[in-house]
Amino acid sequence: MDSRHAIGAPQQHQGLLTVWNRLYKMGSLYLDLSLKRNESGAFLVGQVISAAQKPAAWRVTLHAPGYSRSSPINEYGNFRIQIPGKGGLELELTLENETFWVPGLDV
């Protein structure tokens, strides 16, 4: 499931600031992902929603041309990761032995 084309996304707030919220289904998990902006730049805020307890090995990595930044996922399934700027972004979600990709993030 991918909510990229849902009515109302992306949203325009305060003129030039674009934000969006998306929900992805990955196997038995859901990824709730949002693009946020503030005075220090843009960042992705996410939560992995699962019926099982979150293992310590969960990790998220944001990939862009010439850029890669990783962040752990906390015990509640939450993460926050800074975005380097506009461009072709992909999110890699590593959950123990499985890896999921979210390509083509609009920033």
Side-chain angles (χ1 to χ4, degrees):
M1 181 173 79
D2 180 343
S3 63
R4 262 191 281 211
H5 304 291
I7 296 173
Q11 302 168 355
Q12 294 288 334
H13 294 283
Q14 300 175 359
L16 300 176
L17 297 180
T18 301
V19 297
W20 48 251
N21 296 300
R22 297 182 184 155
L23 182 64
Y24 298 90
K25 180 163 177 40
M26 301 171 167
S28 63
L29 306 169
Y30 290 91
L31 172 62
D32 185 6
L33 191 61
S34 299
L35 173 67
K36 307 287 183 183
R37 295 184 187 271
N38 63 21
E39 59 279 348
S40 64
F43 51 96
L44 290 174
V45 175
Q47 181 178 23
V48 178
I49 303 166
S50 169
Q53 174 117 6
K54 183 205 111 19
W58 288 11
R59 181 160 211 78
V60 63
T61 304
L62 182 65
H63 299 279
Y67 176 89
S68 183
R69 178 172 287 173
S70 292
S71 173
I73 299 172
N74 73 18
E75 65 271 16
Y76 303 108
N78 300 320
F79 64 89
R80 180 176 186 231
I81 194 163
Q82 187 76 34
I83 295 176
K86 294 188 177 198
L89 300 175
E90 292 184 335
L91 192 69
E92 176 185 5
L93 185 62
T94 305
L95 309 172
E96 289 186 328
N97 298 325
E98 293 184 275
T99 301
F100 299 98
W101 287 88
V102 180
L105 293 174
D106 305 320
V107 178

